[in-house]
Amino acid sequence: MLRRTLPALAVALLLCVPGSGAWARSPGWQVAVVDQASRSVLVLQSAEELMAYRGPDRLPVVWGWSADRAPELADLTPARSWTNPDEVKSRVRHGRRYLLTTASGGLAAVVETATGRVHWAADVGRTANPHSIELLPDGNVAVAASTGGWVRLYAASQGPRAAGYAEFPLPGAHGVHWDGRTGLLWVLGDTALTALRVGGTPAAPTLAEVRSSPLPGRGGHDLAAVLAAPGRFWVTTLTGLWRYDPAADRFTAVHLVDPAAERDLKSAGDEPGTGRLLTVAPEHTAPCDWCTSVITLHRPEGARVLRGTHLYKARWWSGW
């Protein structure tokens, strides 16, 4: 496997030329992180590779992307809008894999991983603080913004800078997830998990509330599918980690070996087949109070310090 060298977090050494085939591609589930220190999304090797990583001079980077290295985004001023990237997701549509990412500075983007081409992007404004993003089957894109207090469904199917949208007010909006089994768009706010019905047309979508459930703890933050149990969700709050079953409308607390590891999680998700849980929680230290340099695995337990990084979220990345 090809490993990329990471001296002093030099971004130029992180990022491969799109479409060059220069990066290593290994099967199975890798780990994708959003790193605010290098202003990059990084796809790392498997959990086993990460547990073997000793750093600080070498980081097993498979692929990377940064808005700072995307000339086609110049009109969206990435020097500002790409400040503090905070989301990383992998989605497949029509046989193509996409990176979905947002940044607190205002940028939301969908990027084709095979080419590095930006499929759609928008600057939703630095005061909105976008925190999550989702790609729908029709090509439209949902964005959740915490300070803005809304979830928007952009008509991204209409072009790479399509700016029309439908909006649903949601205080503290932090998470958004499309459930293809039910055709519902689930959104997570400060106090509730809500299911929305998408209507209208791809060019003029609409959003309508179907149901809403109060959270068992305040400060909803991350919303992700339980990959080993389709139709159920991981939900994180300031005080705990939960599994939500929509059929029963029930939140079940998930307890870890260290109870402190259940609180203030920025992201959580399971690896199919192994059941390993991957989480990220801030260290609350300068210079990034909301970041960490540690990714943590549970069942079995393990942690790895990725020295020099400021990680906000980490997610399982399902190969290529």
Side-chain angles (χ1 to χ4, degrees):
M1 291 295 176
L2 176 66
R3 295 190 183 215
R4 295 280 166 188
T5 314
L6 193 67
L9 284 174
V11 175
L13 295 181
L14 292 176
L15 304 180
C16 305
V17 178
S20 69
W23 56 75
R25 295 183 178 184
S26 61
W29 291 82
Q30 296 157 332
V31 175
V33 299
V34 58
D35 174 34
Q36 296 187 356
S38 65
R39 294 168 58 94
S40 301
V41 170
L42 306 175
V43 179
L44 308 176
Q45 291 285 14
S46 66
E48 289 78 8
E49 291 276 348
L50 288 174
M51 290 302 103
Y53 165 72
R54 291 294 178 265
D57 297 323
R58 300 186 68 83
L59 191 65
V61 176
V62 175
W63 184 80
W65 183 86
S66 173
D68 295 328
R69 293 291 194 273
E72 67 268 43
L73 292 178
D75 61 308
L76 301 181
T77 320
R80 173 193 56 78
S81 63
W82 183 238
T83 301
N84 292 338
D86 53 26
E87 180 63 286
V88 51
K89 289 183 179 180
S90 169
R91 294 291 186 266
V92 175
R93 179 174 179 266
H94 293 168
R96 295 181 178 179
R97 184 169 297 280
Y98 294 95
L99 159 71
L100 278 56
T101 188
T102 57
S104 293
L107 187 68
V110 178
V111 181
E112 186 176 1
T113 60
T115 63
R117 181 179 65 88
V118 177
H119 178 74
W120 175 84
D123 178 2
V124 305
R126 67 169 65 188
T127 59
N129 199 15
H131 255 69
S132 193
I133 183 172
E134 183 61 284
L135 178 63
L136 274 63
D138 63 4
N140 285 347
V141 174
V143 177
S146 59
T147 307
W150 48 252
V151 173
R152 289 177 180 171
L153 181 58
Y154 284 88
S157 59
Q158 305 306 298
R161 288 292 187 278
Y165 60 82
E167 183 173 306
F168 179 80
L170 184 68
H174 268 80
V176 57
H177 179 82
W178 172 258
D179 183 6
R181 295 163 58 92
T182 61
L184 294 175
L185 185 67
W186 290 85
V187 295
L188 180 69
D190 272 340
T191 61
L193 177 62
T194 302
L196 304 177
R197 179 74 66 188
V198 176
T201 66
T206 61
L207 294 172
E209 181 176 330
V210 175
R211 55 188 286 192
S212 188
S213 299
L215 298 180
R218 64 185 180 89
H221 196 281
D222 194 36
L223 173 65
V226 178
L227 298 182
R232 298 182 182 182
F233 304 107
W234 298 107
V235 174
T236 72
T237 68
L238 289 174
T239 57
L241 171 62
W242 313 84
R243 276 177 54 142
Y244 176 70
D245 180 356
D249 191 21
R250 181 173 62 240
F251 291 91
T252 302
V254 177
H255 296 298
L256 304 176
V257 172
D258 178 7
E262 303 164 11
R263 298 190 289 271
D264 200 17
L265 293 176
K266 298 301 184 184
S267 63
D270 62 311
E271 181 185 36
T274 68
R276 285 176 295 190
L277 192 62
L278 173 66
T279 64
V280 167
E283 295 174 276
H284 297 299
T285 57
C288 185
D289 178 70
W290 54 87
C291 300
T292 182
S293 60
V294 180
I295 60 170
T296 306
L297 291 168
H298 311 270
R299 305 169 182 171
E301 305 300 300
R304 180 59 62 224
V305 177
L306 305 182
R307 196 181 308 275
T309 62
H310 292 163
L311 308 179
Y312 191 75
K313 288 178 182 174
R315 300 201 189 280
W316 297 107
W317 183 276
S318 55
W320 300 90

